[in-house]
Amino acid sequence: MRVDLYEKLVRAGATRRDILKGAASMAAMAAASGAGLGALTRPASAASELRAKILQIPGVGKGQPTDADFQKVGELCLDATKASVKEGEFAGVELKFMGLNNQNLHNVLFRGFLKPWEAYTGAKISWIDLAQADYNARLQQSIATGTVDFDIAEMGAPFEGDVCGKGLTSEMPDWVKKQIDIEDLVNYLKPPVGTWDGKQYRVTIDGDTHNFNYRADVFADADLAKQWKDGGGAGEWGVPKTWQQVQAVTKFLKGKKFKGQDVYGYLDAPKPWGGFGFYFLGSRASAYAKHPDDKAWLFDADTMKPRINNPAWVRAIQDVIDALPSEPADQINADPNTTGFQQFLAGTGSMIPWWGDIGSNVKTNDSSVVGDLCGFDILPGSDDVYNSKTGKWDKLPGGPNYAPNLAYLGWGVYVMARVDSDPKKQKAAWSAAAHLGGKDLAIWTAMYPSGFQCYRNSQHDIEEWVAAGYDKAFITNYLDSQFNSYNHPNGAIEPRIPGIFQYYSAAEDILANTFAGKMKAQEGADAIAAAWEKLTDQIGREKQVKLYKASLGV
Amino acid sequence: MADQTSTANQWPADAAPYDLISPGRKRLGWALMAAATLGLLATIVLEILYKTDTDTIGFETWRPVVYAYVLWGVALGIGQVLTRGEDGQRALFLLPALLFTIAMVIFPTLFGLYIALTDWNLSSFSGRKFNGLDNFWQMLNDPYYRNALFNMVLYVLAVLVEYVIAFGLALLLNAQIRARKFFRVVFLMPLMLSPVAVSWMIGKSLMEYRFGPAATLARHLGWENPAFFSDPITARISVMILDAWTFIPFMMIMLLAGLQAMSREVLEAARVDGANAWQTFWQVTFPLMLPVSVTAVILRIIFKLKLADIIITVTSGGPGGATDSVSSFIYREYRDRSNVGYGTMLAMAYLVIIVVFVTWLLKFANRFVRNVN
């Protein structure tokens, strides 16, 4: 939108929010996605009647779903349960479900999805809700003190070492595999993810990788392009493809105005977030640190010696330090929740890495003002990549090195072993888990704010998204960013080793001090490495080496 | 009246006076208590020695100790009556409090001390390993812990400012002003709110950098980047303000009670003697209020030493540990890093520091009040 037009609208009484919400910047979108304008909504022949029906609840662009919507969707998806469970079969069974209530999602949705399941089966579920930052602590305490007081847990793959490795989970029965169509999972979420010692434990309900979210309108703006050129910016003004470009753009945008407002480039998330914040440094580092010839990038696979203090990671830490002065003044106090939901969706900042939640929220979250202004890609690459084996920076013949950060590997539903002694309870717990991991429910959770993204091949049907009300160019762009990350040959793999969140948390605290200027990048990295070494010795180095290698598939 | 009292103090007929208790009965009592004590100690020792991978500390495994403890309590009660007769019966009244104190104070403290001497991380495959004073030496060399202790000194010093404000408000509400009742209720309201709610309402909303009214006002007043929680100094001050806003009413209400309990005659006598308001305050009101003031300040300092919730909610100790309190630092050591052994050592050390500091503070305050009066 041109500034004069914007000002005219403001004079007429429109707020910035109205304008941002209403300004469907098609040209920018098209420029960003490389595609033409998408076809308008039309029925998708590939979509089943049921899927088409649930995807209209409440309908894309019709406000955020409510509990009544969750229940409606849950009820419509009950057919698979009815095929394996008789009505009232679980009467008298009581289950405890532990999960997140982050952003009022996760458990908040599960309650609604499972209400019809409870009504049909007769089982009763009580809930343990946890904030994201409290999750790891609660889980670890339950494991270590032998007080697993829940039957079902929403849990991420990184915790499988802590939980499945200690025999606390129930093995998935074959009928569940069939009900959830386990073969439909995208490749990177197939075994060994979700398994331990060859046994399947996890009902996957989410796929996680960090993608790159950017403001297409900012990078299609002619005024900024002119200023970029006049200021001697390298290349054409456009969406950065490498971290070197991200840094340059972020510094360039400092102090600039766009649509009458301050415009910012990249948004870092320096504030600790219960270990989960470390992924955001990982996303800055993966292109530097993950060499295509080496599966490991966090530790040496043979010794568990940390790589966090090698030149690649130190460069990533230094990038954050260098970029922070060009970011909003209070950025040092921003955690990923802030950058994703309070800043980017609210119109502040033009680039963030995040899980796919941003893409599934921009058009369906009431607080989003950037619905038609966003573009997506895999994480930026780097002109050179550090080779841990030679200790040198390599320039790859094929151009920049890309290494999507397969952060967290998504949430899953796990049934705890404590139900195994009671066949009825065991079946009930697995039935509830299978209901949440259903194929049809998955497409709905990927389209609406839920905390979950695509994790199945069947969710990559563009026409189905278009039929539900998504713009074709937008959704193609978004899904490509997701699936191209999932299927990337140089993905930076999440280690599923015990205590991984202690490693991340220890790093977060030291990083917070480093970003605040209390120590240099190398000093901070060295301090993290020392803390990690101590932790590895505490947990048991030999076992960690074995498990780390297993998680890398080495 | 005297008769009634003596009747009330008479013990039941079946209660044997001490000198009439037979030696056999005494021996039975002592044997019972000794057996129960040995049983309890043996159960505890077995519990500590019994190692099963990492699951050695859950309630399930400690159940035998709980049973042994209850049996010991019962045996102790019976043994007291058997061996001491009437005196033993009187001692029974103390037994519940004794058992509660042992279970809820002494045992957790001793157990905490033991945990502080272990290298216990919740993810460790080998569970707890005794590591002597390693955690203690680590603590002495921990710059983050030292930083948190330094912050605590600043937070505690802020209590003096809070006291001045609280005293001012108390004087105001003690004066004959309009709508006095209304103001009393209004000034007390922050005390009724949870500090976490205050953190969200003020720290996360009112003081929010982009849209918060406080930030907007600061911009109008010429502060270009009013990012309250981004600079170490403003972040510390902001946390102090949030905490003060919540707890000043507590000091204010104590001081107001003190002011209202003061004798009006003393104040009137000062006025008759020609003292102006300033002289009356410094020569009469302030000295008479010292005992109440000292109590209010010491209680407030004790609250302040536990400061954590506001910091955890708003800054997580940042930027760069600038706002970390010892409690918030220990909380993260447990919550984020599952480092139970080291976290417990930090907590134990902090407990010792608090006890020593508060003891010194009480002595100092007593001396100060005596000297002034």
Side-chain angles (χ1 to χ4, degrees):
Chain A
M1 182 181 286
R2 281 169 33 216
V3 175
D4 58 341
L5 192 56
Y6 168 82
E7 284 167 349
K8 199 182 276 185
L9 282 165
V10 170
R11 278 197 299 275
T15 64
R16 176 173 174 260
R17 181 184 168 88
D18 294 335
I19 294 163
L20 282 170
K21 276 194 118 165
S25 184
M26 289 294 194
M29 197 61 246
S33 64
L37 295 181
L40 296 173
T41 304
R42 55 194 159 83
S45 55
S48 71
E49 203 177 314
L50 168 67
R51 285 161 80 94
K53 196 173 176 183
I54 61 171
L55 292 180
Q56 294 309 317
I57 303 171
V60 174
K62 292 182 182 167
Q64 211 160 322
T66 62
D67 184 57
D69 295 322
F70 306 148
Q71 289 186 47
K72 223 180 286 176
V73 171
E75 180 145 23
L76 288 168
C77 294
L78 261 183
D79 283 354
T81 299
K82 288 173 180 174
S84 57
V85 177
K86 294 188 196 76
E87 189 165 4
E89 187 178 337
F90 303 139
V93 170
E94 291 194 12
L95 297 167
K96 252 191 181 170
F97 192 118
M98 186 177 91
L100 289 184
N101 61 359
N102 195 31
Q103 305 272 356
N104 273 329
L105 302 171
H106 297 263
N107 268 12
V108 178
L109 275 78
F110 296 155
R111 277 180 171 84
F113 293 153
L114 284 167
K115 253 202 182 112
W117 178 90
E118 287 177 272
Y120 174 77
T121 64
K124 284 275 166 288
I125 299 179
S126 55
W127 300 86
I128 301 170
D129 294 335
L130 299 171
Q132 181 123 5
D134 296 331
Y135 181 86
N136 173 45
R138 174 64 161 84
L139 188 68
Q140 296 291 357
Q141 282 160 24
S142 291
I143 298 162
T145 58
T147 48
V148 174
D149 56 343
F150 44 89
D151 305 300
I152 310 171
E154 179 195 24
M155 191 177 86
F159 297 106
E160 283 170 1
D162 290 303
V163 180
C164 307
K166 288 177 180 161
L168 295 169
T169 37
S170 172
E171 190 182 351
M172 185 188 288
D174 288 342
W175 63 269
V176 175
K177 291 178 190 172
K178 209 175 293 177
Q179 184 175 324
I180 62 173
D181 189 3
I182 204 163
E183 291 306 314
D184 187 33
L185 294 181
V186 290
N187 277 341
Y188 94 109
L189 293 176
K190 283 185 173 164
V193 175
T195 69
W196 203 261
D197 289 336
K199 293 174 181 171
Q200 180 75 35
Y201 291 107
R202 153 168 154 145
V203 172
T204 298
I205 55 168
D206 178 30
D208 270 336
T209 178
H210 271 196
N211 69 338
F212 188 59
N213 307 272
Y214 58 87
R215 282 281 296 275
D217 55 341
V218 169
F219 294 106
D221 185 72
D223 286 344
L224 288 173
K226 187 177 179 303
Q227 290 178 58
W228 172 258
K229 205 169 181 179
D230 295 346
E236 290 299 307
W237 175 246
V239 180
K241 294 289 177 192
T242 64
W243 286 109
Q244 288 82 357
Q245 290 168 7
V246 167
Q247 289 295 93
V249 163
T250 301
K251 286 171 187 170
F252 160 77
L253 286 175
K254 187 187 180 182
K256 300 277 188 299
K257 295 276 184 194
F258 176 66
K259 295 180 181 175
Q261 297 285 325
D262 289 333
V263 62
Y264 296 100
Y266 189 80
L267 299 178
D268 280 295
K271 188 180 170 189
W273 201 41
F276 286 86
F278 180 77
Y279 286 120
F280 290 76
L281 177 70
S283 288
R284 264 189 175 275
S286 59
Y288 299 152
K290 173 66 184 71
H291 198 284
D293 298 338
D294 187 357
K295 285 198 169 181
W297 66 300
L298 275 171
F299 303 92
D300 276 337
D302 295 325
T303 61
M304 277 300 284
K305 185 176 179 295
R307 289 187 181 177
I308 186 83
N309 56 342
N310 74 12
W313 281 91
V314 172
R315 187 200 271 187
I317 296 169
Q318 189 60 50
D319 280 355
V320 179
I321 294 168
D322 293 344
L324 278 172
S326 304
E327 297 177 31
D330 62 341
Q331 203 60 27
I332 194 80
N333 270 313
D335 61 24
N337 244 3
T338 308
T339 61
F341 292 83
Q342 289 160 35
Q343 290 184 314
F344 192 78
L345 287 187
T348 298
S350 50
M351 296 173 277
I352 56 162
W354 233 87
W355 290 282
D357 303 68
I358 298 299
S360 60
N361 273 261
V362 287
K363 282 179 181 282
T364 50
N365 188 315
D366 289 344
S367 65
S368 169
V369 297
V370 293
D372 296 313
L373 312 172
C374 274
F376 312 94
D377 206 341
I378 65 170
L379 286 175
S382 168
D383 297 330
D384 49 1
V385 56
Y386 185 72
N387 188 329
S388 289
K389 286 169 182 162
T390 61
K392 290 187 177 134
W393 288 92
D394 292 346
K395 272 199 185 294
L396 303 179
N401 179 53
Y402 291 92
N405 183 11
L406 304 177
Y408 202 63
L409 299 168
W411 292 98
V413 176
Y414 297 76
V415 172
M416 306 314 287
R418 72 183 211 149
V419 303
D420 287 347
S421 56
D422 180 347
K424 189 174 166 186
K425 196 170 185 177
Q426 189 208 40
K427 189 180 177 186
W430 275 112
S431 174
H435 178 59
L436 294 177
K439 198 172 177 174
D440 299 324
L441 203 61
I443 189 68
W444 192 91
T445 55
M447 274 195 204
Y448 290 98
S450 63
F452 311 119
Q453 286 80 58
C454 297
Y455 64 94
R456 294 170 169 273
N457 292 313
S458 60
Q459 290 167 307
H460 202 177
D461 180 358
I462 302 286
E463 293 309 319
E464 190 170 35
W465 289 76
V466 172
Y470 274 88
D471 170 75
K472 190 168 187 172
F474 170 90
I475 201 58
T476 304
N477 181 225
Y478 169 65
L479 290 181
D480 282 353
S481 79
Q482 293 286 293
F483 283 86
N484 291 345
S485 299
Y486 295 161
N487 301 321
H488 200 280
N490 192 33
I493 297 169
E494 164 81 57
R496 295 179 306 131
I497 53 174
I500 189 64
F501 266 77
Q502 276 93 302
Y503 289 98
Y504 292 165
S505 296
E508 267 189 352
D509 256 21
I510 296 165
L511 285 169
N513 283 282
T514 310
F515 297 147
K518 284 199 157 185
M519 43 186 136
K520 301 251 184 301
Q522 185 68 59
E523 288 169 351
D526 288 340
I528 296 168
W532 282 14
E533 282 284 69
K534 189 169 184 282
L535 202 50
T536 300
D537 288 329
Q538 248 182 333
I539 293 171
R541 188 171 296 268
E542 274 180 41
K543 271 194 175 175
Q544 291 292 73
V545 167
K546 196 169 129 240
L547 296 172
Y548 185 49
K549 280 184 169 177
S551 75
L552 296 174
V554 175
Chain B
M1 196 69 192
D3 284 352
Q4 280 175 1
T5 308
S6 61
T7 309
N9 285 339
Q10 276 183 2
W11 290 91
D14 59 344
Y18 183 75
D19 50 357
L20 294 179
I21 298 171
S22 66
R25 178 174 149 169
K26 282 184 188 175
R27 273 198 298 275
L28 177 66
W30 284 114
L32 186 66
M33 287 192 288
T37 306
L38 282 172
L40 174 63
L41 289 173
T43 313
I44 291 170
V45 170
L46 282 172
E47 189 67 61
I48 290 168
L49 294 177
Y50 181 68
K51 289 219 177 296
T52 57
D53 197 10
T54 55
D55 300 343
T56 59
I57 173 107
F59 177 75
E60 290 287 333
T61 58
W62 281 91
R63 197 168 284 179
V65 175
V66 175
Y67 293 155
Y69 183 69
V70 172
L71 286 174
W72 177 74
V74 172
L76 199 68
I78 295 167
Q80 287 291 313
V81 175
L82 287 175
T83 56
R84 296 171 61 204
E86 285 180 15
D87 289 345
Q89 284 185 338
R90 285 192 198 97
L92 284 183
F93 286 102
L94 288 176
L95 195 63
L98 176 76
L99 292 177
F100 183 84
T101 305
I102 291 170
M104 296 298 166
V105 179
I106 295 169
F107 171 74
T109 305
L110 292 173
F111 185 69
L113 204 58
Y114 162 65
I115 292 296
L117 301 174
T118 63
D119 176 18
W120 191 23
N121 182 291
L122 294 184
S123 286
S124 172
F125 290 103
S126 51
R128 296 190 306 269
K129 281 182 291 187
F130 184 79
N131 69 346
L133 290 174
D134 284 6
N135 290 334
F136 181 73
W137 302 128
Q138 187 186 338
M139 181 188 75
L140 292 184
N141 294 311
D142 189 336
Y144 305 114
Y145 188 60
R146 282 202 302 270
N147 167 69
L149 282 169
F150 170 72
N151 288 340
M152 286 317 301
V153 173
L154 299 179
Y155 288 140
V156 166
L157 287 174
V159 171
L160 296 174
V161 179
E162 291 176 31
Y163 167 71
V164 172
I165 297 167
F167 210 139
L169 289 173
L171 287 168
L172 187 74
L173 294 182
N174 193 46
Q176 295 301 318
I177 56 167
R178 275 190 190 190
R180 194 166 59 160
K181 279 185 181 171
F182 168 76
F183 283 117
R184 280 183 186 183
V185 173
V186 166
F187 286 153
L188 267 181
M189 277 176 83
L191 195 59
M192 300 170 196
L193 293 168
S194 145
V196 174
V198 171
S199 305
W200 274 98
M201 280 184 337
I202 300 177
K204 293 260 192 183
S205 305
L206 195 73
M207 297 170 86
E208 203 274 336
Y209 166 72
R210 289 161 302 157
F211 312 116
T216 308
L217 179 66
R219 276 194 196 90
H220 283 305
L221 295 172
W223 185 0
E224 198 183 342
N225 278 321
F228 297 103
F229 297 103
S230 296
D231 174 76
I233 293 170
T234 56
R236 269 195 204 111
I237 292 169
S238 300
V239 167
M240 287 173 188
I241 289 170
L242 285 175
D243 189 40
W245 190 82
T246 313
F247 283 102
I248 279 177
F250 163 78
M251 281 214 279
M252 183 197 77
I253 204 76
M254 283 187 78
L255 294 165
L256 183 60
L259 286 170
Q260 295 197 318
M262 265 174 61
S263 161
R264 295 179 76 92
E265 286 85 350
V266 180
L267 295 170
E268 283 163 6
R271 246 195 307 266
V272 169
D273 288 344
N276 60 24
W278 183 252
Q279 288 168 322
T280 305
F281 175 77
W282 283 111
Q283 306 295 328
V284 180
T285 309
F286 185 72
L288 286 175
M289 282 290 291
L290 263 182
V292 179
S293 296
V294 165
T295 307
V297 167
I298 287 177
L299 281 175
R300 179 66 189 108
I301 285 173
I302 291 168
F303 287 162
K304 185 73 94 168
L305 290 168
K306 296 189 287 185
L307 174 67
D309 34 22
I310 289 171
I311 293 161
I312 290 162
T313 308
V314 182
T315 66
S316 291
T323 56
D324 235 345
S325 69
V326 173
S327 297
S328 68
F329 179 73
I330 292 170
Y331 172 79
R332 283 206 311 281
E333 198 62 43
Y334 280 119
R335 189 195 69 171
D336 294 345
R337 292 191 281 286
S338 304
N339 227 338
V340 179
Y342 184 55
T344 307
M345 174 57 79
L346 297 179
M348 285 284 168
Y350 192 47
L351 178 69
V352 171
I353 291 167
I354 288 175
V355 168
V356 170
F357 173 66
V358 171
T359 307
W360 169 83
L361 196 65
L362 286 167
K363 280 185 177 169
F364 172 80
N366 279 335
R367 227 175 315 142
F368 179 70
V369 172
R370 266 203 311 273
N371 289 343
V372 170
N373 289 333

